Amino acid sequence: MTNRPSAALCATLLLGACAATATEPPLAQRIANAAPATTVTARGETAPVGTPNADAADDPAIWRNAANPAQSLIVGTDKKAGLYVYGLDGKTRDFLDAGRVNNVDLRDGVTIEGRNGILVVASDRNDVAHAKLALFRLDPATAKLSALGKVDAGAGEAYGICLYRAPEATYAFVVLKDGTVNQIALDTSGAAPSGKIVRTMKLGTQSEGCAVDDRTGILYVAEEDVGLWRFDARPTGSIAPTKIAAADGKNLVMDAEGVAIAPMGEKDGYVLVSSQGDNAYVAYRLSDDSYAGRFRVVDGAIGGSEETDGIDLMLGDFGPGYPGGLFVAQDGHNATAAQNFKLVAWDDIVQALGIDR
C-alpha cells in the first residue's frame, strides 16, 4: 500500500491534512469512473496481524496440502514485524519475528539443506539501502517457519518478491521500490543459502506486486501508477517489458498492487491484479492479455476487503469450503481491528465474472 491517506481516513481529518492527495479523486468518484465490477463475499478471514493502528499486513502466499487439503497453510507478512502462518480456519499457527519483511512467496519441492521442502522467501527491507531476501523453511507438519539465512538482492529498498521454478534452478525476482527488478538464482542445497543476480530489468516508477507463471516462464509486474507488465522470466530472455494494461482509471485504477496467477491447462488461465484505487481486482486472460472482468470482495457474513496490497491465488482442492481454489487478499481496513487477510473461493469468483473454470 502506498503512503497516501485512505478515503476513510481523510474523511476524519482536517482538510489540510489530506492536501497532498487533492489531485486524486475521492473514492466514490474513482468507483463511479471505473468499469463496472461484480461482487463476491469472503468465506473466511485470518486473525489480525499483531501491529495495530498501522498499514501492516501486506502480502500472502498459499501452500496447498495435496494429501489433506483442509490442512493447507497461508503465510502472510506483517511488514512492521515479521511472518505469520495461518490455517484455513484463519487461526494463527506460527509467528516469526523477522522485522520489516514486505512481500512473500513460496515454492514446494525445493532442495533445502539436502532434502525436499517448502521454501518461503520474503523481501527484506530492514536496510532500505541494501535489499536482501530472507529465506525460510516451512514445516507442513507443525506449520512452523525456521530461518535459513539472507541473500543479497542489490542496492535499493526491497519491495516485491516472487519465485520461479525453472528446470535448471529456483529463481527469485526482487522488485525494488524504484522499479528495478533483479533476478536472483538461489541455492539452498547447502548449510547456508546463497544467491547470484543473473540479470536486471527496469520499470520507470515505483513497482511492487509480481508473480511468475512457472509453466510459460513469464513474469508479471505491477507498476503502481502505470499498469501491469510482463517480462520473459528466463535468465537468457529479453529484458524488455510488454504492457498488458494501463492504470487508466477504468479497468485498472491506480495503485496497481498485488499480482496472482490462475493457471489452466498448458498455458491458458488468468492473471489477477489488485486495483487498489477503487477496492477492486481485475482479471486478464493469459492467452492474449485481454481484459476478462473485475470484481470486489464486499461485506457479507465476513467483512469485505479494501485498499488491497498483496494477493495470492491457487487452484485445486482446498476442501468443501473453497471449491475450485483459494484466493487470498490483504484487507487494508479490517473494521476496528488490525489489518488481516480475506479468503475467497475461486469458484465464487468464476461464477461472478462468468469466466471459464
Side-chain angles (χ1 to χ4, degrees), residues 74-327:
I74 301 163
V75 180
T77 60
D78 178 336
K79 61 188 177 186
K80 312 291 186 182
L83 289 167
Y84 284 88
V85 181
Y86 305 100
L88 291 189
D89 59 3
K91 295 180 180 179
T92 300
R93 302 286 301 278
D94 189 31
F95 172 75
L96 184 65
D97 182 353
R100 289 163 50 84
V101 286
N102 200 55
N103 281 195
V104 65
D105 200 5
L106 61 80
R107 286 293 187 276
D108 202 347
V110 178
T111 301
I112 305 173
E113 298 174 331
R115 58 190 177 93
N116 279 352
I118 305 167
L119 177 66
V120 176
V121 182
S123 54
D124 186 301
R125 57 195 295 211
N126 287 292
D127 182 346
V128 297
H130 300 91
K132 293 186 182 299
L133 303 180
L135 279 65
F136 309 87
R137 179 201 292 271
L138 175 62
D139 184 334
T142 65
K144 301 295 185 183
L145 289 165
S146 56
L148 300 172
K150 296 185 180 183
V151 171
D152 289 334
E157 183 176 354
Y159 227 43
I161 183 71
C162 50
L163 300 181
Y164 170 38
R165 284 291 303 279
E168 74 280 3
T170 298
Y171 297 95
F173 290 91
V174 59
V175 181
L176 305 182
K177 194 171 184 178
D178 70 352
T180 299
V181 183
N182 289 331
Q183 182 172 2
I184 301 168
L186 298 175
D187 184 353
T188 56
S189 60
S194 62
K196 178 183 178 182
I197 298 176
V198 296
R199 64 175 184 155
T200 296
M201 296 159 282
K202 188 73 172 72
L203 293 174
T205 61
Q206 183 167 310
S207 306
E208 182 177 6
C210 68
V212 181
D213 188 338
D214 287 347
R215 306 166 306 162
T216 60
I218 296 177
L219 164 69
Y220 299 86
V221 184
E223 186 177 3
E224 294 187 0
D225 291 351
V226 178
L228 182 66
W229 301 84
R230 58 178 166 85
F231 291 90
D232 190 332
R234 297 172 298 177
T236 57
S238 169
I239 62 172
T242 299
K243 183 179 281 188
I244 294 173
D248 60 0
K250 298 297 183 181
N251 292 341
L252 183 57
V253 182
M254 66 181 193
D255 296 336
E257 290 281 349
V259 180
I261 294 170
M264 299 176 181
E266 294 185 359
K267 59 182 179 180
D268 291 333
Y270 303 90
V271 55
L272 275 64
V273 58
S274 170
S275 178
Q276 189 186 85
D278 73 323
N279 299 335
Y281 311 90
V282 192
Y284 299 93
R285 296 178 182 86
L286 296 176
S287 57
D288 59 6
D289 299 337
S290 63
Y291 169 76
R294 56 201 318 273
F295 66 96
R296 294 190 179 94
V297 181
V298 298
D299 290 348
I302 293 169
S305 58
E306 300 172 291
E307 293 196 4
T308 294
D309 282 326
I311 60 175
D312 198 15
L313 170 62
M314 183 171 287
L315 307 190
D317 184 7
F318 283 87
Y322 296 98
L326 176 65
F327 174 78

